[in-house]
Amino acid sequence: PGDGGMVAGRIVNPNGENIEQVSVAISGAMQESMITGTDGQFQFSLDMGANYTVTPVKDMNPLNGVSTFDLVLISKHILGITSFDSPYQHIAADVNKSGSITAFDMVQIRRLILNITTEFEGNDSWRFVDGKYEFTSENPAAEDFAELMDITNLATNMMDVDFVGVKVGDVNGSASANSLLGAEVRNTNGALTFNVADQFVEAGQTVSVDFTSANIATAQGYQFTMNFAGLELANVVEGVAKAANFNTNLAERGVLATSWNGEATADDVLFSLSFTATTDGLLSDLVSVSSDLTDYRHE
C-alpha cells in the first residue's frame, strides 16, 4: 500500500512439500528476517525503488533423511548403473560442494550416518535454488545457479520470490520438510537377518563372532547400531565390510555403529567381532541391535 511494496514467496522441496524453519533474510535498504512456518511462506513489506537481497538459510539436523540407501543411489550413479533423473539429486549428492559427485561425497555421508561427524564440512544441511532457475547441463551441481535473489529497484507492489530447498545428502528426497510430515521409510524389501552362532561365554573368555547373512545377495546395503553389555570389544575384523564401515568411538560404552553398501553372497563373512566377556551369559542375551546411532528419521 502507498509507497510500499511486498516481497513474498514460498519455499518447497523438489516434491513440492513446504519447508519450515528456513531463516529468510532481507538485506539492502532494509534489514529484516523471518522464519518460515509449516506453509513454507515468507513476506516482507519494503520501500519501493530500493535494492534488496533475499537469502534463505537452513542449517540444522543434517542427518534428516540421510541413510545408507542414499549411498546406494550415489554409487549407482557414479558407476553409471542408474543415473539421477533430477538436477536436485545432483545437488543433494554433492555434499562437499565441489561441483562433481565422487567417492569423497560418499565418505562424508557415511561418516555422518555413523555419527563420526555431525555436519557436512563446508556445506549447510539445506541448499536453496531460485524457483525459476532452469538447469541446462548434464552436471547440474556445477552450474552457477542462484541461491539467493537480488532485487534491483523494487518497482512492483507485489513480487513473488520462490525457492526450491534441497536437503544435502538426501538423494531420494525422503527428508522431513516440515513438522506435519514424517521421514519416509526406505526399507521396502523387509528386514535383513544376520546369522550369528550363539554360545555361552564366561567372564574373562575371548570370543570371535562371525556375521553372515543368508539373504545378503538381495540387499543393497544396511545400517544399524549394535549394543552389547557384559562384553568388551577387542577388535573389528574386516570381511566384506571394511574399517570405514564402522564407528568404534563408543565401543567402551557398549555401542558400535555400522553402515555398508555393495555386493556380497551368503557365503561371505561380512565382518567379525572379537569380544572379551566381563560376565557369564549367552551371546544372544548380551548383544542386541537398535538404531540408536543410525536413525535417519531426524526432523
Side-chain angles (χ1 to χ4, degrees), residues 101-289:
I101 301 167
T102 69
F104 293 110
D105 298 300
M106 296 182 64
V107 168
Q108 278 209 39
I109 293 173
R110 190 170 324 266
R111 288 173 62 85
L112 183 75
I113 292 169
L114 292 174
N115 263 264
I116 296 173
T117 58
T118 57
E119 61 184 7
F120 291 118
E121 183 178 351
N123 202 351
D124 289 348
S125 59
W126 289 80
R127 296 182 71 180
F128 298 92
V129 182
D130 176 5
K132 297 182 177 64
Y133 183 82
E134 295 185 3
F135 293 91
T136 59
S137 74
E138 295 183 356
N139 185 14
E143 292 189 28
D144 187 24
F145 53 87
E147 300 190 61
L148 48 79
M149 175 61 70
D150 289 320
I151 301 171
T152 302
N153 188 22
L154 179 61
T156 178
N157 288 331
M158 174 61 76
M159 183 174 185
D160 290 326
V161 178
D162 299 324
F163 293 93
V164 176
V166 180
K167 175 62 187 64
V168 174
D170 176 30
V171 176
N172 72 333
S174 58
S176 176
N178 64 69
S179 56
L180 300 180
L181 303 169
E184 297 178 7
V185 176
R186 331 286 183 89
N187 190 349
T188 59
N189 296 322
L192 178 67
T193 301
F194 288 89
N195 300 321
V196 178
D198 199 10
Q199 60 178 295
F200 186 86
V201 295
E202 298 179 350
Q205 178 183 353
T206 298
V207 57
S208 181
V209 183
D210 294 337
F211 287 76
T212 63
S213 175
N215 57 335
I216 190 65
T218 63
Q220 300 180 83
Y222 60 75
Q223 65 182 61
F224 63 89
T225 305
M226 185 178 300
N227 305 91
F228 47 93
L231 298 168
E232 292 181 352
L233 181 65
N235 193 24
V236 176
V237 181
E238 294 183 347
V240 173
K242 306 303 179 184
N245 298 114
F246 297 89
N247 178 2
T248 60
N249 292 339
L250 297 178
E252 291 183 357
R253 302 182 190 177
V255 179
L256 176 72
T258 181
S259 162
W260 172 88
N261 64 284
E263 296 182 353
T265 71
D267 295 327
D268 292 327
V269 175
L270 300 174
F271 59 92
S272 302
L273 300 179
S274 178
F275 292 108
T276 299
T278 59
T279 188
D280 298 346
L282 284 170
L283 282 178
S284 55
D285 294 329
L286 303 178
V287 177
S288 61
V289 171

Side-chain angles (χ1 to χ4, degrees), residues 45-118:
S45 296
L46 305 172
D47 293 334
M48 301 283 283
N51 300 332
Y52 302 96
T53 299
V54 184
T55 306
V57 174
K58 183 175 182 178
D59 190 19
M60 60 178 66
N61 303 330
L63 195 56
N64 179 11
V66 179
S67 81
T68 302
F69 185 54
D70 296 299
L71 292 174
V72 170
L73 297 178
I74 294 172
S75 178
K76 287 185 174 182
H77 174 80
I78 291 174
L79 295 173
I81 298 172
T82 305
S83 298
F84 296 151
D85 55 16
S86 164
Y88 303 112
Q89 289 180 296
H90 291 254
I91 296 170
D94 182 24
V95 300
N96 63 2
K97 296 177 71 172
S98 67
S100 61
I101 301 167
T102 69
F104 293 110
D105 298 300
M106 296 182 64
V107 168
Q108 278 209 39
I109 293 173
R110 190 170 324 266
R111 288 173 62 85
L112 183 75
I113 292 169
L114 292 174
N115 263 264
I116 296 173
T117 58
T118 57

